[in-house]
Amino acid sequence: MDRALDNIFVERLWRNVKYEDVYLKGYANMAELMGLAQYFAFYNAERPHQALGYQTPSHADSAGGGAVSSTGLATMRSRRKRVMRGSAG
């Protein structure tokens, strides 16, 4: 069951990619999708993440001690438990 629940985080990432980049830019063909590299650079270096205490992943990683704060880890565990119980809200 863990693998299915881990997939939730990947699905959330792709939802963000679609709503914050793909749908806004309306890529016309596969060649234009190379622009996603710019989005992922933004996602990792400039976009604050709630689970990381509103730090960017690159900042949290360079700060050491693990990429996810204890508060963020607790939040992620809480969400995972709600999903397992069937109340993802």
Side-chain angles (χ1 to χ4, degrees):
M1 183 92 168
D2 281 341
R3 287 185 179 176
L5 294 175
D6 291 341
N7 192 43
I8 291 168
F9 298 105
V10 173
E11 293 294 332
R12 177 64 181 246
L13 167 67
W14 284 112
R15 185 192 80 161
N16 289 343
V17 169
K18 290 188 291 184
Y19 282 94
E20 295 176 9
D21 189 73
V22 174
Y23 295 155
L24 295 176
K25 294 184 180 173
Y27 296 109
N29 56 50
M30 294 300 286
E32 289 182 9
L33 280 176
M34 296 306 291
L36 284 178
Q38 292 174 335
Y39 176 77
F40 282 111
F42 161 77
Y43 188 86
N44 288 316
E46 298 177 38
R47 183 184 184 276
H49 294 251
Q50 182 179 12
L52 300 175
Y54 295 98
Q55 298 179 56
T56 64
S58 56
H59 182 265
D61 188 44
S62 66
V68 179
S69 69
S70 59
T71 303
L73 186 58
T75 300
M76 290 167 59
R77 286 181 178 152
S78 174
R79 287 180 184 159
R80 189 173 187 170
K81 286 178 185 177
R82 285 195 310 265
V83 169
M84 290 176 71
R85 288 192 313 254
S87 57

